Amino acid sequence: MIEDIRDIPTRAGTMETFIVHPERNGPHPPVLMLMDAPGIREELYDMARRLAAVGFYVLLPNLYYRAGADTKYGPDVLVKGSAEQARMRAVRTKMTIPPVMDDIADLLVFLDAQDAARPGPVGTHGYCMSGPYSLAAAARFPDRVAAAASFYGTWLVSDAPESPHLTLGNAKGELYIACAEHDELAPLPMVAELKVLFEKSGNGGELEMYPGVHHGFAFPQRWCYDKPAAERHWERLIALYRRRLG
């Protein structure tokens, strides 16, 4: 495996990005893995490595880069009321969809210049806060994003600019939306509303409920990690990318 951490130029500065891809048989289909709210950490690097190991060129950007270099947090970031959580939330609460779409546009420019990344369609998937970003990217860049997935995406129906529920019909790529049964950040009534809108959009993808699990179920180091559900998430994601990206 080839790994690197690069400062990728964006219109807002430089965005630290973890890059991992197979050593042989390239170029490989590119995918953007978008972080959850607790931010960049070794757990996410390992998940990116797992995806790269089955044949993909993976970018994992630090979407908090506009707030400076000190935007990686310790394990206490998950502890309610902790100083680390407060420090993260001071950055997280300022995040909106349009600037992240600018970042994705700049990542696409970067990908186009990489010999190890296959030209053409890309995939995106996001966890937690980045579920909306992934789906919004499919709508903003319909001729480029061939597959987009959201795993326990937060507030997929909201009054935010470019909220995914407003733009599902703009996506040409296949969408996959995975929701946890127990998730205060994506409550069941919201999921029901989203499902109706998804069906009306005409997209050929899927919205799937994962029964009995909690928000964060795919992260191996989280208290709510559920191995069967996590493995289902990998099966769904890899199959989606192989279908749409080759």
Side-chain angles (χ1 to χ4, degrees):
M1 300 290 287
I2 304 296
E3 295 185 10
D4 194 11
I5 294 179
R6 299 272 297 274
D7 287 330
I8 294 179
T10 73
R11 63 201 73 187
T14 55
M15 180 166 53
E16 181 183 298
T17 302
F18 178 70
I19 304 171
V20 58
H21 60 86
E23 180 180 359
R24 296 179 175 178
N25 303 318
H28 300 281
V31 301
L32 308 180
M33 177 176 166
L34 307 180
M35 69 192 203
D36 60 331
I40 297 299
R41 56 195 185 277
E42 191 66 25
E43 180 180 38
L44 294 187
Y45 289 164
D46 283 343
M47 293 172 74
R49 292 175 181 122
R50 177 167 175 175
L51 190 54
V54 296
F56 296 98
Y57 183 107
V58 184
L59 297 184
L60 172 63
N62 182 357
L63 298 177
Y64 289 155
Y65 75 99
R66 287 177 175 80
D70 189 21
T71 50
K72 295 179 183 177
Y73 308 100
D76 283 354
V77 71
L78 296 172
V79 178
K80 289 185 177 181
S82 69
E84 282 292 84
Q85 187 176 81
R87 193 164 70 88
M88 177 273 288
R89 284 186 59 79
V91 177
R92 164 70 185 95
T93 54
K94 295 181 176 65
M95 297 286 290
T96 60
I97 293 173
V100 177
M101 295 303 99
D102 290 343
D103 295 336
I104 289 176
D106 294 331
L107 288 171
L108 294 175
V109 171
F110 173 83
L111 282 171
D112 287 342
Q114 306 310 305
D115 291 339
R118 183 184 298 171
V122 304
T124 72
H125 66 288
Y127 300 89
C128 180
M129 75 166 188
S130 287
Y133 303 151
S134 177
L135 300 178
R140 175 76 83 92
F141 308 102
D143 294 322
R144 195 68 192 275
V145 176
S150 164
F151 295 98
Y152 36 86
T154 59
W155 304 114
L156 297 173
V157 177
S158 76
D159 59 1
E162 297 189 65
S163 174
H165 80 285
L166 299 173
T167 60
L168 292 168
N170 295 342
K172 295 180 182 177
E174 183 178 346
L175 304 180
Y176 177 74
I177 303 172
C179 300
E181 181 179 4
H182 305 292
D183 191 346
E184 62 182 14
L185 302 176
L188 293 179
M190 187 208 77
V191 175
E193 180 181 356
L194 182 66
K195 185 174 180 62
V196 171
L197 294 171
F198 187 81
E199 291 171 351
K200 288 182 177 179
S201 75
N203 190 273
E206 180 183 8
L207 188 156
E208 183 174 20
M209 177 64 69
Y210 285 47
V213 299
H214 294 258
H215 182 94
F217 64 79
F219 296 131
Q221 296 179 22
R222 197 73 62 83
W223 70 269
C224 55
Y225 175 65
D226 186 279
K227 187 172 183 178
E231 291 304 310
R232 181 186 302 132
H233 128 273
W234 284 117
E235 184 274 330
R236 301 292 196 263
L237 180 65
I238 292 169
L240 170 68
Y241 282 161
R242 284 178 171 161
R243 268 196 313 275
R244 305 301 297 191
L245 306 179

